Amino acid sequence: MKLKKHLRTTLLLALGGLTLAACGSDKEGAPETVRQPVNLKAEIFTINAGEAAIWKGGQAVGIYMLKENTNEVVDTYANVKYVADNRGTTGYLVPADNQPMYYPADGSNVDFKVYYPYNPEVEQTLRAVEAYTEVRVDEHTAPDGFLYSRNAKGSNANTEASTVQIKSMLSQVSIDFHCTLDGASKLEAHIKNIATRARFDLMQGMFVEYTTEEDAVLPMTGTKNTVGGNTVFSMSSVIFSGQVPEKAQLEVIVKDSKDKILKEYLPIALTKVLEVEQQENQVEENTQYNIDAQLTEREDITTQVSSTASICIMNWNGSGDDADINVARPTGD
């Protein structure tokens, strides 16, 4: 009896060992899940261009990967720094630290939101994201100084490359002042009571919390030309898209060659200049407002919007990425 019991125990142990060995063999032989890295290709269409401009200057952007149709971050992919590939003319955005983002292993869809210039100090929560970056405008701000994309949606591990179409979130006021004053040599124009700082909501894709400094002005800059014997001052300024304050005003002074004031005109509401009263004083993102103005012996300024156009994204021909010194631009081949 003892011998039979010993043999039975030995047999059970042997069978158990074979089972464990088989399980171990299956686990070792199972293929590992290969995660698919994200490929992002950036495009900007310039004026009169049939093909998209190619980014290749090493400019830095911030990227959010979100669960489809939500503001919930996938893994930890919030404000991830990518750069425009400067090793060729591919147009791809590449990870700044050589650590790519990966699509979810379960094959679920994701959305991408991208902005420029990259801000490492973006205000944000961790999961259900609220994310903001501060943007400033002054007389040196280029109309393509702040760019954003919300179009790359519904991508997954089977997506070969997601195309990110980035456009300006700013607006531009461009005015041709036709001046008939004798001796007119200089023009000083500025916008008063307009915001020069704002937070941009990176999830909603809009400016919020505008800040207007007391007594601050936003100078317009430009050139002087002679057209048909008349003096034309072509001036422009970048402003935030969104609602224009009712108190915002355009103020203009014309001087002679000795800096003597020839005429100081009555201020005119910027909402009237832009003709946006019927649009609840809203100016559109990525839009240049072209305006003709008449400066005569009268005290007031006559203005008319001649056209609107998309903001032209200039060639990114430099590698500088300091938004306070030189605004980077995309390069078209």
Side-chain angles (χ1 to χ4, degrees), residues 254-271:
V254 177
K255 297 182 177 181
D256 64 14
S257 59
K258 296 182 179 180
D259 220 31
K260 178 184 177 181
I261 295 178
L262 294 179
K263 197 165 194 63
E264 184 172 353
Y265 290 87
L266 293 175
I268 180 173
L270 186 61
T271 55

PDB file of all heavy atoms in Angstrom, residues 254-271:
ATOM      1  N   VAL A 254      -0.802 113.258 -37.548  1.00  0.00           N
ATOM      2  CA  VAL A 254       0.041 113.470 -38.732  1.00  0.00           C
ATOM      3  C   VAL A 254       1.013 114.606 -38.432  1.00  0.00           C
ATOM      4  O   VAL A 254       0.627 115.652 -37.900  1.00  0.00           O
ATOM      5  CB  VAL A 254      -0.818 113.812 -39.971  1.00  0.00           C
ATOM      6  CG1 VAL A 254       0.093 114.099 -41.171  1.00  0.00           C
ATOM      7  CG2 VAL A 254      -1.770 112.670 -40.293  1.00  0.00           C
ATOM      8  N   LYS A 255       2.297 114.392 -38.795  1.00  0.00           N
ATOM      9  CA  LYS A 255       3.342 115.389 -38.546  1.00  0.00           C
ATOM     10  C   LYS A 255       4.064 115.738 -39.844  1.00  0.00           C
ATOM     11  O   LYS A 255       4.016 114.977 -40.824  1.00  0.00           O
ATOM     12  CB  LYS A 255       4.352 114.860 -37.528  1.00  0.00           C
ATOM     13  CG  LYS A 255       3.763 114.588 -36.142  1.00  0.00           C
ATOM     14  CD  LYS A 255       4.842 114.113 -35.179  1.00  0.00           C
ATOM     15  CE  LYS A 255       4.295 113.912 -33.781  1.00  0.00           C
ATOM     16  NZ  LYS A 255       5.350 113.474 -32.829  1.00  0.00           N
ATOM     17  N   ASP A 256       4.772 116.885 -39.801  1.00  0.00           N
ATOM     18  CA  ASP A 256       5.581 117.251 -40.958  1.00  0.00           C
ATOM     19  C   ASP A 256       6.999 116.714 -40.776  1.00  0.00           C
ATOM     20  O   ASP A 256       7.294 115.999 -39.818  1.00  0.00           O
ATOM     21  CB  ASP A 256       5.578 118.763 -41.172  1.00  0.00           C
ATOM     22  CG  ASP A 256       6.217 119.535 -40.023  1.00  0.00           C
ATOM     23  OD1 ASP A 256       6.899 118.916 -39.167  1.00  0.00           O
ATOM     24  OD2 ASP A 256       6.043 120.765 -39.974  1.00  0.00           O
ATOM     25  N   SER A 257       7.902 117.087 -41.682  1.00  0.00           N
ATOM     26  CA  SER A 257       9.269 116.555 -41.664  1.00  0.00           C
ATOM     27  C   SER A 257      10.068 117.023 -40.452  1.00  0.00           C
ATOM     28  O   SER A 257      11.091 116.423 -40.102  1.00  0.00           O
ATOM     29  CB  SER A 257      10.002 116.945 -42.947  1.00  0.00           C
ATOM     30  OG  SER A 257      10.036 118.363 -43.085  1.00  0.00           O
ATOM     31  N   LYS A 258       9.600 118.118 -39.812  1.00  0.00           N
ATOM     32  CA  LYS A 258      10.290 118.626 -38.623  1.00  0.00           C
ATOM     33  C   LYS A 258       9.629 118.148 -37.333  1.00  0.00           C
ATOM     34  O   LYS A 258       9.896 118.672 -36.251  1.00  0.00           O
ATOM     35  CB  LYS A 258      10.338 120.153 -38.664  1.00  0.00           C
ATOM     36  CG  LYS A 258      11.140 120.689 -39.832  1.00  0.00           C
ATOM     37  CD  LYS A 258      11.194 122.207 -39.811  1.00  0.00           C
ATOM     38  CE  LYS A 258      12.023 122.747 -40.983  1.00  0.00           C
ATOM     39  NZ  LYS A 258      12.071 124.243 -40.968  1.00  0.00           N
ATOM     40  N   ASP A 259       8.772 117.159 -37.456  1.00  0.00           N
ATOM     41  CA  ASP A 259       8.091 116.544 -36.325  1.00  0.00           C
ATOM     42  C   ASP A 259       7.027 117.453 -35.704  1.00  0.00           C
ATOM     43  O   ASP A 259       6.613 117.261 -34.560  1.00  0.00           O
ATOM     44  CB  ASP A 259       9.090 116.105 -35.244  1.00  0.00           C
ATOM     45  CG  ASP A 259       8.723 114.766 -34.624  1.00  0.00           C
ATOM     46  OD1 ASP A 259       8.137 113.930 -35.343  1.00  0.00           O
ATOM     47  OD2 ASP A 259       9.010 114.552 -33.448  1.00  0.00           O
ATOM     48  N   LYS A 260       6.610 118.442 -36.441  1.00  0.00           N
ATOM     49  CA  LYS A 260       5.549 119.324 -35.964  1.00  0.00           C
ATOM     50  C   LYS A 260       4.194 118.698 -36.295  1.00  0.00           C
ATOM     51  O   LYS A 260       3.983 118.178 -37.395  1.00  0.00           O
ATOM     52  CB  LYS A 260       5.660 120.694 -36.624  1.00  0.00           C
ATOM     53  CG  LYS A 260       4.560 121.663 -36.221  1.00  0.00           C
ATOM     54  CD  LYS A 260       4.681 122.976 -36.979  1.00  0.00           C
ATOM     55  CE  LYS A 260       3.532 123.915 -36.631  1.00  0.00           C
ATOM     56  NZ  LYS A 260       3.610 125.203 -37.370  1.00  0.00           N
ATOM     57  N   ILE A 261       3.268 118.756 -35.330  1.00  0.00           N
ATOM     58  CA  ILE A 261       1.945 118.176 -35.541  1.00  0.00           C
ATOM     59  C   ILE A 261       1.151 119.025 -36.532  1.00  0.00           C
ATOM     60  O   ILE A 261       0.934 120.223 -36.324  1.00  0.00           O
ATOM     61  CB  ILE A 261       1.172 118.068 -34.211  1.00  0.00           C
ATOM     62  CG1 ILE A 261       1.873 117.074 -33.277  1.00  0.00           C
ATOM     63  CG2 ILE A 261      -0.263 117.628 -34.470  1.00  0.00           C
ATOM     64  CD1 ILE A 261       1.211 116.940 -31.919  1.00  0.00           C
ATOM     65  N   LEU A 262       0.740 118.390 -37.618  1.00  0.00           N
ATOM     66  CA  LEU A 262      -0.123 119.048 -38.598  1.00  0.00           C
ATOM     67  C   LEU A 262      -1.594 118.884 -38.233  1.00  0.00           C
ATOM     68  O   LEU A 262      -2.396 119.805 -38.392  1.00  0.00           O
ATOM     69  CB  LEU A 262       0.124 118.479 -39.996  1.00  0.00           C
ATOM     70  CG  LEU A 262       1.501 118.741 -40.613  1.00  0.00           C
ATOM     71  CD1 LEU A 262       1.582 118.083 -41.985  1.00  0.00           C
ATOM     72  CD2 LEU A 262       1.761 120.247 -40.725  1.00  0.00           C
ATOM     73  N   LYS A 263      -1.921 117.680 -37.764  1.00  0.00           N
ATOM     74  CA  LYS A 263      -3.312 117.440 -37.394  1.00  0.00           C
ATOM     75  C   LYS A 263      -3.405 116.221 -36.474  1.00  0.00           C
ATOM     76  O   LYS A 263      -2.749 115.211 -36.697  1.00  0.00           O
ATOM     77  CB  LYS A 263      -4.181 117.209 -38.627  1.00  0.00           C
ATOM     78  CG  LYS A 263      -5.667 117.357 -38.340  1.00  0.00           C
ATOM     79  CD  LYS A 263      -6.436 117.477 -39.628  1.00  0.00           C
ATOM     80  CE  LYS A 263      -7.850 117.960 -39.357  1.00  0.00           C
ATOM     81  NZ  LYS A 263      -7.951 119.313 -38.765  1.00  0.00           N
ATOM     82  N   GLU A 264      -4.234 116.366 -35.438  1.00  0.00           N
ATOM     83  CA  GLU A 264      -4.570 115.250 -34.544  1.00  0.00           C
ATOM     84  C   GLU A 264      -6.056 114.969 -34.707  1.00  0.00           C
ATOM     85  O   GLU A 264      -6.897 115.828 -34.437  1.00  0.00           O
ATOM     86  CB  GLU A 264      -4.244 115.602 -33.092  1.00  0.00           C
ATOM     87  CG  GLU A 264      -4.480 114.456 -32.132  1.00  0.00           C
ATOM     88  CD  GLU A 264      -3.972 114.761 -30.734  1.00  0.00           C
ATOM     89  OE1 GLU A 264      -3.313 115.808 -30.559  1.00  0.00           O
ATOM     90  OE2 GLU A 264      -4.223 113.947 -29.823  1.00  0.00           O
ATOM     91  N   TYR A 265      -6.351 113.777 -35.173  1.00  0.00           N
ATOM     92  CA  TYR A 265      -7.735 113.443 -35.522  1.00  0.00           C
ATOM     93  C   TYR A 265      -8.521 112.948 -34.313  1.00  0.00           C
ATOM     94  O   TYR A 265      -7.949 112.465 -33.318  1.00  0.00           O
ATOM     95  CB  TYR A 265      -7.758 112.391 -36.631  1.00  0.00           C
ATOM     96  CG  TYR A 265      -7.301 112.942 -37.960  1.00  0.00           C
ATOM     97  CD1 TYR A 265      -5.944 112.942 -38.294  1.00  0.00           C
ATOM     98  CD2 TYR A 265      -8.203 113.489 -38.857  1.00  0.00           C
ATOM     99  CE1 TYR A 265      -5.514 113.462 -39.501  1.00  0.00           C
ATOM    100  CE2 TYR A 265      -7.776 114.012 -40.072  1.00  0.00           C
ATOM    101  CZ  TYR A 265      -6.439 114.000 -40.385  1.00  0.00           C
ATOM    102  OH  TYR A 265      -6.005 114.535 -41.582  1.00  0.00           O
ATOM    103  N   LEU A 266      -9.836 113.046 -34.431  1.00  0.00           N
ATOM    104  CA  LEU A 266     -10.700 112.518 -33.382  1.00  0.00           C
ATOM    105  C   LEU A 266     -10.575 110.997 -33.346  1.00  0.00           C
ATOM    106  O   LEU A 266     -10.532 110.346 -34.400  1.00  0.00           O
ATOM    107  CB  LEU A 266     -12.160 112.907 -33.656  1.00  0.00           C
ATOM    108  CG  LEU A 266     -12.500 114.402 -33.565  1.00  0.00           C
ATOM    109  CD1 LEU A 266     -13.947 114.633 -33.993  1.00  0.00           C
ATOM    110  CD2 LEU A 266     -12.253 114.914 -32.154  1.00  0.00           C
ATOM    111  N   PRO A 267     -10.513 110.414 -32.160  1.00  0.00           N
ATOM    112  CA  PRO A 267     -10.442 108.950 -32.070  1.00  0.00           C
ATOM    113  C   PRO A 267     -11.677 108.312 -32.702  1.00  0.00           C
ATOM    114  O   PRO A 267     -12.769 108.888 -32.675  1.00  0.00           O
ATOM    115  CB  PRO A 267     -10.402 108.690 -30.561  1.00  0.00           C
ATOM    116  CG  PRO A 267      -9.923 109.972 -29.965  1.00  0.00           C
ATOM    117  CD  PRO A 267     -10.469 111.066 -30.835  1.00  0.00           C
ATOM    118  N   ILE A 268     -11.486 107.118 -33.257  1.00  0.00           N
ATOM    119  CA  ILE A 268     -12.589 106.380 -33.871  1.00  0.00           C
ATOM    120  C   ILE A 268     -12.616 104.974 -33.276  1.00  0.00           C
ATOM    121  O   ILE A 268     -11.563 104.356 -33.069  1.00  0.00           O
ATOM    122  CB  ILE A 268     -12.447 106.339 -35.407  1.00  0.00           C
ATOM    123  CG1 ILE A 268     -13.604 105.563 -36.038  1.00  0.00           C
ATOM    124  CG2 ILE A 268     -11.105 105.772 -35.833  1.00  0.00           C
ATOM    125  CD1 ILE A 268     -13.610 105.630 -37.566  1.00  0.00           C
ATOM    126  N   ALA A 269     -13.795 104.481 -32.973  1.00  0.00           N
ATOM    127  CA  ALA A 269     -13.937 103.161 -32.360  1.00  0.00           C
ATOM    128  C   ALA A 269     -13.374 102.078 -33.281  1.00  0.00           C
ATOM    129  O   ALA A 269     -13.665 102.062 -34.485  1.00  0.00           O
ATOM    130  CB  ALA A 269     -15.393 102.873 -32.044  1.00  0.00           C
ATOM    131  N   LEU A 270     -12.586 101.176 -32.725  1.00  0.00           N
ATOM    132  CA  LEU A 270     -11.994 100.101 -33.535  1.00  0.00           C
ATOM    133  C   LEU A 270     -13.078  99.183 -34.094  1.00  0.00           C
ATOM    134  O   LEU A 270     -12.935  98.653 -35.193  1.00  0.00           O
ATOM    135  CB  LEU A 270     -10.992  99.307 -32.698  1.00  0.00           C
ATOM    136  CG  LEU A 270     -10.187  98.248 -33.451  1.00  0.00           C
ATOM    137  CD1 LEU A 270      -9.345  98.878 -34.546  1.00  0.00           C
ATOM    138  CD2 LEU A 270      -9.290  97.463 -32.494  1.00  0.00           C
ATOM    139  N   THR A 271     -14.158  98.988 -33.350  1.00  0.00           N
ATOM    140  CA  THR A 271     -15.254  98.154 -33.859  1.00  0.00           C
ATOM    141  C   THR A 271     -15.841  98.746 -35.136  1.00  0.00           C
ATOM    142  O   THR A 271     -16.245  98.022 -36.042  1.00  0.00           O
ATOM    143  CB  THR A 271     -16.356  98.007 -32.806  1.00  0.00           C
ATOM    144  OG1 THR A 271     -16.790  99.310 -32.383  1.00  0.00           O
ATOM    145  CG2 THR A 271     -15.862  97.229 -31.601  1.00  0.00           C
TER     146      THR A 271
END
